[in-house]
């Protein structure tokens, strides 16, 4: 639980905001949904998938990301 995956968004003013994080062992694949409707209508958004580790030398694996779908309307 010391290694985390975070999702951050940089808006059109250049401000970063953390929108989601997972810092626990999920014991397998999980599905997550992130609602970014607060940013509707803004141009130039940046999404950041940030992997953070405490640097401990243990054999546990960190997070994986698979099948990212971005939808907008």
């Amino acid at each position: 639980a010391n290694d985390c995956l975070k999702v951050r968004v940089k808006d059109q003013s250049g401000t970063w905001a953390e929108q989601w994080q997972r810092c626990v062992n999920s014991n397998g694949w999980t599905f997550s949904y992130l609602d970014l409707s607060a940013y509707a209508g803004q141009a130039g958004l940046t999404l950041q998938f940030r992997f953070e580790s405490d640097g401990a030398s243990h054999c546990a694996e960190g997070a994986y990301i698979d099948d990212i779908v971005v939808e907008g309307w």
Side-chain angles (χ1 to χ4, degrees), residues 36-70:
L36 299 175
S37 60
Y39 297 96
Q42 292 191 37
L45 295 177
T46 301
L47 290 177
Q48 179 186 69
F49 296 90
R50 184 179 181 113
F51 297 86
E52 295 182 353
S53 176
D54 63 357
S57 58
H58 51 73
C59 295
E61 296 183 26
Y64 292 87
I65 297 178
D66 193 22
D67 296 335
I68 296 172
V69 176
V70 178

